[in-house]
């Protein structure tokens, strides 16, 4: 220390400067080392964060995939909230140097990988959301879901669906033009919806044509009812079918009433026709029988008169011959008596066979049945047996 005091001022300055420079050198070295350590720590931190972001993208990709099953069908438990949550998580992914507060040259490859993964996640999420919304709109066309994680199955169309609803969805599917099984099922469901809508429209139109002002048309026939019924039976929506069937019940009631009235009218006409035919047949039979009986009665009367005269002559001849014989044998007194007796018999026979009441049949006699003779007005006038007619007194 005493020696330092004995040094000149110039030497003291030189020594002090040397000491200062030495200290500065040591301090700079210490600072540089500290600075390098801090930078490395920052790099390690960024690297950890980048790895974390890459892990996040992998997890989000896995979640996205979990919402779809084979053939691209969506799981039944997927909701719009799930999609919104994914969208929010993907949006928070850091994919730039600014996000990590580092220079653009540092970790550039890692950041590019994260950026690519993020873009793919956004595209896949957009695709998932479009499929979800499309499936939801298609399912809403039917009373129950037709598209689910189990695939496609047909169901009745909802009653309030309009043609434009089906057409709008069909246009969207055409724009997608995807060969995935899921989209083919969507197209098939829309075709079924269109077919069912057409069937419902046909059935409604057919039934409506049977009415005017809510009343069944009077000209409706059973075949029209049957045609409408066939169309209604093809409708899958039970509510629509029930409504249309209720209207058809009114039509059937009207048709049956008209058929019953027609049947009764035809039956009445048939009875009247049978009555007329029977009456005509009876008149024809009476006319034929009357003509036949007139001929028979005339022949019978002539035969009876002829027979009576022949009998009278025969008896007269026989009696005369006998009388002559007897006259020759017994004398004129007995002959006169014999002739008188023969004349008496001949006169009696003629009176019983062709007298005024037992002779020719009167002109107004028209029919003889079982020995009975009737006048033209139908009253019995006498009897005729064996060619002999007897008047009723």
């Amino acid at each position: 220390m005493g020696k330092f005091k004995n040094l000149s001022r110039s030497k003291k300055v030189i020594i002090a400067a040397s000491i200062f420079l030495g200290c500065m050198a040591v301090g700079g070295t210490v600072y540089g080392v500290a600075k390098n350590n801090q930078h490395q720590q920052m790099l390690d931190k960024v690297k950890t964060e980048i790895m974390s972001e890459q892990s996040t993208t992998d997890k989000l990709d896995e979640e996205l995939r979990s919402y779809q099953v084979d053939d691209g069908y969506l799981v039944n438990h997927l909701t719009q909230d799930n999609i919104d949550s994914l969208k929010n998580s993907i949006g928070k992914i850091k994919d730039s140097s600014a996000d990590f507060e580092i220079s653009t040259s540092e970790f550039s490859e890692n950041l590019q990988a994260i950026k690519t993964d993020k873009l793919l996640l956004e595209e896949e999420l957009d695709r998932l959301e479009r499929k979800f919304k499309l499936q939801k709109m298609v399912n809403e066309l039917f009373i129950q879901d037709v598209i689910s994680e189990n695939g496609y199955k047909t169901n009745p169309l909802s009653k309030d669906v309009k043609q434009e609803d089906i057409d709008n969805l069909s246009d969207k599917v055409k724009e997608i033009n995807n060969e995935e099984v899921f989209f083919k099922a969507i197209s098939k469901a829309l075709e079924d919806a269109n077919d069912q809508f057409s069937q419902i429209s046909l059935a409604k139109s057919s039934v409506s044509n049977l009415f005017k002002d809510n009343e069944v048309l009077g000209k409706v026939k059973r075949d029209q009812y049957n045609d409408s019924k066939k169309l209604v039976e093809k409708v899958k929506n039970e509510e629509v079918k029930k409504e249309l069937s209720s209207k058809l019940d009114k039509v059937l009631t009207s048709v049956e009433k008209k058929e019953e009235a027609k049947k009764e009218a035809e039956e009445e006409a048939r009875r009247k026709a049978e009555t007329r035919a029977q009456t005509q047949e009876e008149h024809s039979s009476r006319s034929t029988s009357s003509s036949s009986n007139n001929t028979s009665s005339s022949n019978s009367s002539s035969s009876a008169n002829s027979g009576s005269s022949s009998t009278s002559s025969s008896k007269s001849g026989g009696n005369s011959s006998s009388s002559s014989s007897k006259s020759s044998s017994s004398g004129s007194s007995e002959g006169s008596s014999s002739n008188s007796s023969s004349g008496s018999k001949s006169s009696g026979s003629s009176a019983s066979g062709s007298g005024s009441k037992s002779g020719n049949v009167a002109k107004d006699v028209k029919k003889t049945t079982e020995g009975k003779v009737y006048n033209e007005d139908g009253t019995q006038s006498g009897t005729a047996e064996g060619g002999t007619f007897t008047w009723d007194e």
Side-chain angles (χ1 to χ4, degrees):
M1 181 63 81
K3 291 180 178 182
F4 182 75
K5 289 181 179 181
N6 293 328
L7 293 175
S8 62
R9 180 177 177 80
S10 59
K11 289 182 177 180
K12 288 180 179 180
V13 172
I14 292 171
I15 292 171
S18 298
I19 294 172
F20 175 76
L21 290 173
C23 290
M24 287 294 294
V26 173
T29 300
V30 172
Y31 175 79
V33 171
K35 186 66 175 177
N36 287 334
N37 288 338
Q38 184 179 3
H39 183 67
Q40 187 60 46
Q41 289 176 356
M42 184 270 295
L43 292 178
D44 291 341
K45 180 182 178 182
V46 171
K47 186 177 181 179
T48 300
E49 289 178 357
I50 290 175
M51 292 177 64
S52 176
E53 291 302 309
Q54 290 175 329
S55 177
T56 297
T57 58
D58 291 340
K59 289 180 179 179
L60 291 174
D61 180 64
E62 184 178 350
E63 183 178 352
L64 267 172
R65 294 176 183 276
S66 71
Y67 291 131
Q68 300 185 75
V69 295
D70 295 339
D71 296 326
Y73 290 108
L74 307 181
V75 295
N76 294 339
H77 63 266
L78 176 63
T79 64
Q80 186 62 47
D81 288 340
N82 298 139
I83 295 174
D84 292 340
S85 178
L86 273 171
K87 192 178 296 184
N88 184 54
S89 297
I90 293 173
K92 291 180 178 180
I93 294 176
K94 297 178 181 180
D95 60 350
S96 69
S97 58
D99 290 332
F100 294 99
E101 298 180 352
I102 58 175
S103 64
T104 56
S105 61
E106 294 176 309
F107 301 103
S108 59
E109 292 183 2
N110 301 84
L111 293 177
Q112 185 59 44
I114 293 175
K115 185 176 292 186
T116 300
D117 289 343
K118 181 178 180 180
L119 181 62
L120 290 174
L121 286 172
E122 288 174 340
E123 291 177 351
E124 188 62 28
L125 178 61
D126 180 65
R127 175 181 168 82
L128 178 69
E129 186 172 22
R130 284 189 294 112
K131 289 174 68 175
F132 175 76
K133 289 182 177 180
L134 183 60
Q135 175 177 299
K136 187 173 184 291
M137 287 187 289
V138 170
N139 282 336
E140 286 175 348
L141 296 176
F142 302 85
I143 61 174
Q144 292 182 348
D145 291 349
V146 293
I147 305 293
S148 68
E149 62 183 19
N150 298 318
Y152 167 76
K153 68 173 182 178
T154 184
N155 269 313
L157 191 70
S158 295
K159 62 175 294 186
D160 298 324
V161 171
K162 299 178 181 179
Q163 183 66 59
E164 61 181 346
D165 298 330
I166 302 173
D167 294 341
N168 290 337
L169 286 173
S170 297
D171 292 339
K172 289 183 179 181
V173 174
K174 290 177 182 178
E175 292 174 358
I176 296 173
N177 191 25
N178 193 293
E179 291 300 317
E180 189 178 60
V181 174
F182 171 84
F183 288 101
K184 289 183 178 180
I186 290 289
S187 297
K188 189 174 182 180
L190 290 173
E191 290 176 3
D192 183 43
N194 198 62
D195 291 342
Q196 288 196 50
F197 183 85
S198 296
Q199 185 61 53
I200 290 174
S201 298
L202 284 173
K204 285 183 176 180
S205 177
S206 179
V207 173
S208 177
N209 290 336
L210 305 179
F211 289 82
K212 183 177 182 180
D213 298 330
N214 294 323
E215 295 294 332
V216 180
L217 293 173
K219 62 181 180 180
V220 175
K221 298 180 180 179
R222 181 172 285 273
D223 58 347
Q224 293 174 283
Y225 163 80
N226 290 335
D227 291 341
S228 295
K229 185 178 181 181
K230 289 177 182 178
L231 292 175
V232 171
E233 287 175 346
K234 292 180 180 180
V235 174
K236 293 182 179 180
N237 186 297
E238 290 299 328
E239 185 177 357
V240 174
K241 183 186 292 187
K242 184 177 180 180
E243 291 175 357
L244 295 176
S245 296
S246 178
K247 292 182 178 180
L248 283 180
D249 288 342
K250 295 180 180 179
V251 175
L252 180 60
T253 299
S254 175
V255 169
E256 289 177 339
K257 285 182 178 179
K258 287 187 291 184
E259 289 178 343
E260 184 64 27
K262 181 180 179 181
K263 183 178 179 181
E264 291 178 357
E266 290 176 346
E267 181 65 22
E268 180 63 22
R270 185 188 65 78
R271 287 195 297 268
K272 289 181 178 180
E274 288 179 351
T275 300
R276 287 195 300 270
Q278 185 176 0
T279 301
Q280 291 174 356
E281 184 179 357
E282 289 177 353
H283 283 309
S284 176
S285 177
R286 284 180 181 178
S287 177
T288 301
S289 178
S290 175
S291 176
S292 175
N293 287 334
N294 285 339
T295 302
S296 177
S297 178
S298 177
N299 291 337
S300 177
S301 177
S302 297
S303 176
N305 291 334
S306 175
S308 177
S309 297
S310 177
T311 301
S312 176
S313 297
S314 177
K315 286 184 177 181
S316 175
N319 290 334
S320 297
S321 178
S322 178
S323 178
S324 298
S325 179
K326 288 180 179 182
S327 178
S328 299
S329 303
S330 305
S332 61
S333 176
E334 290 178 358
S336 296
S337 176
S338 175
N339 286 335
S340 176
S341 175
S342 177
S344 176
K345 287 182 180 180
S346 177
S347 177
S349 175
S350 177
S352 64
S354 56
S356 62
K357 286 191 177 183
S358 59
N360 294 330
V361 180
K363 291 182 179 180
D364 62 340
V365 176
K366 296 296 181 181
K367 185 175 182 181
T368 302
T369 303
E370 296 179 355
K372 296 180 181 181
V373 180
Y374 297 85
N375 295 320
E376 188 173 11
D377 61 358
T379 58
Q380 185 174 345
S381 60
T383 59
E385 293 182 2
T388 301
F389 173 74
T390 304
W391 291 96
D392 288 339
E393 295 299 333

